[in-house]
Amino acid sequence: MRFLLLILSLLWGTTLQAQGFFSRGTEEGDRRWEAVGRLELPGDAFCTGALISPKLVVTAAHCLFDASTGAPVAIDDIQFLAGWRNGRAAAYRRVRQAVHLPNYDFAAPADTERVRKDLALIELQHPIRNTTIMPFATGERPDQGAEVGVVSYAHNRSEAPTLQDLCKLLSRQDGILILSCEVEFGASGSPVFSIAPDGTPSLVSVISAKARDESTGAPVSLAISLDAPLAILRALVSEGAGLPRGLTRQSAGIRNEETGAKFVKP
């Protein structure tokens, strides 16, 4: 499959664009997606993120950069709103540190090489321990042809986390998953799930960009495989690589709760 990559910034959302829109097909009783949240950024921008532990949120790396200047977003300017629904969140958390994959370059051309490294992990200031907000288990990447679902705060459903209709994994290319899911503004960092027969979701990927199939013109979305990249990010967080300059995990009073892994350069 050949596809034309579109600009990654197309997937950022803004609260100005989102006003007046509400999610479709989201019942108050369906709380499976409470661990999906809006990642609030400066200038009314937002992305989507998902909890994979009480303190760790996975999202896209480009969400950590200012879309207009290309500069990294200050940690103090990021907030995670777990289970954001119609103007209220089930939990509000500030960010302690944020890391992206080594060699990710926000200023690089919007191509597949950039997508392949477009993954970030955020450590929250305080864990979210709430019986209605259960972090997602991560699963193995699905096989080609498998059905998956994307949960996001896109521009026409920005007020509640919504599972889109199931779509298919069309192809896997060197760590990039090409999905038939059609995504829009606000979908950056959205979790991609495999759904078990009993309805239990497993997080298998994260949305990075939207694209178009060159042969058919059909819209597709590009997501990054979590397998090895997530292990690298967990190790970076454990080492405090994303803490503000001059601050160590010891001086910040952070214990190595999430992983005992040592960082190995790819």
Side-chain angles (χ1 to χ4, degrees):
M1 169 181 283
R2 292 177 58 85
F3 54 89
L4 175 66
L5 181 63
L6 302 183
I7 300 173
L8 294 178
S9 60
L10 289 175
L11 295 187
W12 268 291
T14 68
T15 54
L16 294 179
Q17 291 171 325
Q19 286 175 357
F21 291 93
F22 293 87
S23 59
R24 296 170 296 175
T26 305
E27 295 84 11
E28 285 297 317
D30 186 357
R31 298 291 180 177
R32 287 180 298 170
W33 315 121
E34 292 288 81
V36 178
R38 275 194 11 180
L39 200 63
E40 298 292 292
L41 304 165
D44 295 322
F46 68 88
C47 284
T48 302
L51 284 167
I52 58 171
S53 85
K55 287 188 73 172
L56 295 179
V57 175
V58 66
T59 189
H62 71 264
C63 292
L64 303 183
F65 293 81
D66 187 297
S68 58
T69 67
V73 175
I75 295 300
D76 291 343
D77 292 335
I78 305 174
Q79 186 177 21
F80 180 66
L81 311 180
W84 177 265
R85 187 183 299 272
N86 300 327
R88 297 183 64 183
Y92 299 79
R93 291 293 186 276
R94 292 290 180 181
V95 173
R96 174 163 279 154
Q97 63 171 320
V99 298
H100 56 71
L101 286 177
N103 301 321
Y104 174 76
D105 183 2
F106 180 79
D111 56 17
T112 54
E113 186 62 26
R114 182 176 168 188
V115 171
R116 193 171 290 113
K117 300 170 183 175
D118 194 12
L119 189 68
L121 195 60
I122 290 172
E123 182 182 35
L124 304 176
Q125 286 278 7
H126 303 286
I128 296 177
R129 303 194 189 282
N130 185 314
T131 56
T132 66
I133 306 175
M134 302 301 295
F136 297 107
T138 57
E140 297 180 357
R141 65 180 183 179
D143 295 326
Q144 184 171 335
E147 285 191 329
V148 295
V150 176
V151 176
S152 71
Y153 290 88
H155 77 99
N156 62 341
R157 50 187 176 277
S158 64
E159 293 303 312
T162 306
L163 176 67
Q164 295 186 21
D165 293 337
L166 293 180
C167 53
K168 289 189 175 182
L169 172 58
L170 301 175
S171 177
R172 297 189 304 194
Q173 298 183 9
D174 298 324
I176 298 176
L177 307 185
I178 304 172
L179 312 174
S180 64
C181 311
E182 186 173 355
V183 295
E184 291 296 342
F185 297 101
S188 285
S190 295
V192 179
F193 294 102
S194 287
I195 310 296
D198 65 356
T200 302
S202 294
L203 200 157
V204 296
S205 188
V206 168
I207 293 292
S208 172
K210 65 189 229 177
R212 192 168 297 278
D213 184 340
E214 287 186 336
S215 59
T216 66
V220 296
S221 53
L222 308 181
I224 182 171
S225 176
L226 296 184
D227 301 343
L230 189 54
I232 293 172
L233 292 175
R234 283 181 179 273
L236 286 171
V237 167
S238 180
E239 292 188 349
L243 290 170
R245 185 172 299 178
L247 189 65
T248 65
R249 291 189 68 87
Q250 289 72 28
S251 64
I254 307 171
R255 295 180 300 171
N256 290 339
E257 296 174 336
E258 305 300 342
T259 176
K262 294 182 179 179
F263 173 55
V264 179
K265 292 183 179 180

